[in-house]
Amino acid sequence: MTKRSVTAAEVSGKRVFLRVDLNVPLRDGQVDDDTRIRAAIPTITWLREHGARIILASHLGRPKGKVDDALRLAPVGARLAELIDAPVTVATDVVGPDATAKVNALQDGEIVLLENVRFEPGEEQNDPAFAQQLANLAELYVNDAFGAAHRAHASTEGIAHLLPSYLGLLMQREVDALSSVLTHPVPPFVAIIGGAKVSDKIQVLEHLVDKVSVLLIGGGMANTFLLATGHDIGRSLAEPDQVDRARRILETAQTSGVEIGLPIDVVVAENISDDEGVVVDIDNIGEKAVFDIGPDTARAYAEHIARAKTILWNGPLGVAENPAFANGTRDVAEAVAAAAGYTVIGGGDSIAAIERLGLADQIDHVSTGGGASLEFLEGKTLPGIAIIPEVDAEGSV
Ligand code: ADP
Ligand code: MG
């Protein structure tokens, strides 16, 4: 799948509506983590260098269709201006008189940041009349908001029906990385899936199970698999109602020749906040609860990872926010970072873990979108991507 790229657009002197994901955490009215702002810069820079008049739009938080002064984009615009060392004019409304005047005053290479698009009720409703108001501001549309690509909102989907539309550079990188892993992975393909619950990730497991060579399971969801294989898991977090689905995944794996990795040893404790745990094998969990994979399991998983040519990791292997239960996640993160194969990581908590360990720059692709990357891995079509026209090898639509 090749979507029409912004690099194929004639943007000089044109007003370009660029939807980005600047939904960053704020603290005391300041940007607390500018990762998403940085991720948006390559497309902004490309457009500036090609003389576009840039209309930036993003959501921030959940204002639910009303103005919320705590969720204004001004601090985000200020941080962006610092990072690119160029002025960013911030409008105080989305499609009102201030935005319109500022957009009309744009010169080539200049930037206006519209106010939080979710201040408008038409945004999340994907109201065609609101999409038309957005479209009226611009001549071209570029979607670079991967983190919002799973939402069919006016600024991510509706507007693309009304203007010539293109994918931004960040979106392209996300789509290329995730679809190359899903559609033509170089084998052996090893997926490591962890996290809290089977019910959060069951569709990812179901979508991956006939594509991978090896599926390694950890985190809270491993407990449900241990139940499915007849183990006593004490007071561990588990979902008894998901045991049948877990069993079906094990069966599908067996019929498609996929190897499944389940923990052989685990770290148990009384409470999730305990400051130490005990390593036991999976037949000796007793009355305690499982909070991490054990060292033998981590070693076995690391060996699979070292042999793999394609590696996908989503979800911590244990309660990694507590150092007592972070060893499994650390060992796996180190194995992924050291792997010679092509490596992709998705999921907010997994990314936080790899960043804490200082290993993010050793990963080929760290996906920026939590919900969006999960839906992509579930095999779903993301509306913000689907609406962008496909091009053939010559670049024709
Ligand atoms: P990601 O954000 O990377 O997709 P998830 O949100 O699915 O990951 O899962 C992360 C959560 O899973 C963390 O809050 C972590 O504490 C929890 N978790 C991992 N292993 C266990 C476990 N054995 N028991 C309880 N919670 C766990
Ligand atoms: Mg999470």
Side-chain angles (χ1 to χ4, degrees):
M1 171 181 71
T2 306
K3 293 285 180 173
R4 187 164 64 183
S5 162
V6 61
T7 55
E10 284 295 335
V11 301
S12 178
K14 300 263 178 65
R15 280 172 285 118
V16 178
F17 189 105
L18 174 59
R19 177 58 158 102
V20 285
D21 177 11
L22 303 180
N23 182 31
V24 295
L26 296 180
R27 192 194 297 178
D28 304 327
Q30 298 291 313
V31 175
D32 199 33
D33 176 353
D34 62 13
T35 309
R36 284 186 171 154
I37 304 177
R38 291 174 187 276
I41 289 176
T43 301
I44 296 172
T45 302
W46 191 92
L47 288 171
R48 285 179 67 209
E49 285 172 351
H50 289 79
R53 304 177 174 199
I54 304 165
I55 304 162
L56 273 183
S58 178
H59 70 286
L60 178 65
R62 303 190 163 185
K64 302 229 158 79
K66 287 201 292 284
V67 174
D68 178 343
D69 283 329
L71 295 174
R72 288 195 179 273
L73 279 169
V76 177
R79 186 80 190 104
L80 172 64
E82 259 169 52
L83 288 169
I84 61 174
D85 195 20
V88 174
T89 304
V90 185
T92 54
D93 52 30
V94 186
V95 290
D98 190 57
T100 310
K102 285 177 170 145
V103 166
N104 286 338
L106 272 174
Q107 298 297 309
D108 295 358
E110 291 183 351
I111 303 171
V112 164
L113 172 60
L114 302 180
E115 187 50 280
N116 190 341
V117 284
R118 288 194 189 164
F119 285 0
E120 292 285 342
E123 167 64 3
E124 291 187 74
Q125 292 160 4
N126 200 4
D127 172 15
F130 177 62
Q132 185 66 58
Q133 287 180 295
L134 293 174
N136 289 345
L137 295 171
E139 294 153 279
L140 303 175
Y141 171 70
V142 178
N143 192 353
D144 210 21
F146 182 68
H150 57 316
R151 307 289 185 213
H153 293 168
S155 70
T156 62
E157 202 270 349
I159 185 175
H161 292 272
L162 304 168
L163 292 175
S165 300
Y166 303 82
L167 274 197
L169 302 173
L170 171 65
M171 273 279 226
Q172 250 175 287
R173 211 154 48 82
E174 291 279 5
V175 172
D176 288 350
L178 295 171
S179 55
S180 77
V181 161
L182 292 179
T183 57
H184 42 82
V186 182
F189 175 17
V190 173
I192 310 123
I193 307 293
K197 292 194 284 179
V198 172
S199 52
D200 289 342
K201 303 270 169 89
I202 193 89
Q203 286 172 292
V204 175
L205 294 171
E206 287 169 351
H207 189 62
L208 288 175
V209 68
D210 55 2
K211 298 183 172 54
V212 298
S213 327
V214 183
L215 183 57
L216 304 173
I217 295 174
M221 58 193 279
N223 300 334
T224 302
F225 278 87
L226 291 176
L227 274 184
T229 53
H231 292 87
D232 193 347
I233 58 164
R235 291 188 297 101
S236 307
L237 170 83
E239 296 166 283
D241 60 328
Q242 297 290 329
V243 165
D244 281 344
R245 271 178 108 173
R247 206 170 275 138
R248 248 172 286 140
I249 287 177
L250 296 174
E251 283 160 16
T252 311
Q254 193 156 29
T255 52
S256 15
V258 168
E259 190 176 341
I260 299 258
L262 286 175
I264 48 177
D265 62 344
V266 290
V267 179
V268 297
E270 295 290 340
N271 288 301
I272 199 163
S273 53
D274 283 2
D275 48 23
E276 81 189 328
V278 180
V279 176
V280 297
D281 72 56
I282 48 164
D283 295 314
N284 289 310
I285 294 170
E287 286 310 300
K288 293 187 172 167
V290 173
F291 294 117
D292 196 8
I293 58 170
D296 289 344
T297 306
R299 204 169 305 119
Y301 286 10
E303 281 168 16
H304 281 294
I305 292 164
R307 283 195 296 268
K309 294 245 163 56
T310 306
I311 299 146
L312 171 69
W313 177 30
N314 174 285
L317 287 296
V319 180
E321 45 290 35
N322 179 346
F325 309 122
N327 292 342
T329 301
R330 181 205 58 211
D331 290 351
V332 165
E334 284 174 351
V336 174
Y342 179 69
T343 49
V344 174
I345 298 188
D349 293 281
S350 329
I351 292 168
I354 200 98
E355 280 173 354
R356 265 198 309 272
L357 292 161
L359 298 171
D361 60 352
Q362 294 176 52
I363 307 301
D364 291 301
H365 183 72
V366 178
S367 181
T368 53
S373 61
L374 205 61
E375 290 198 20
F376 206 109
L377 298 178
E378 288 171 350
K380 292 192 180 138
T381 305
L382 310 189
I385 297 172
I387 187 63
I388 307 297
E390 292 201 12
V391 289
D392 61 22
E394 283 79 51
S396 311
V397 173

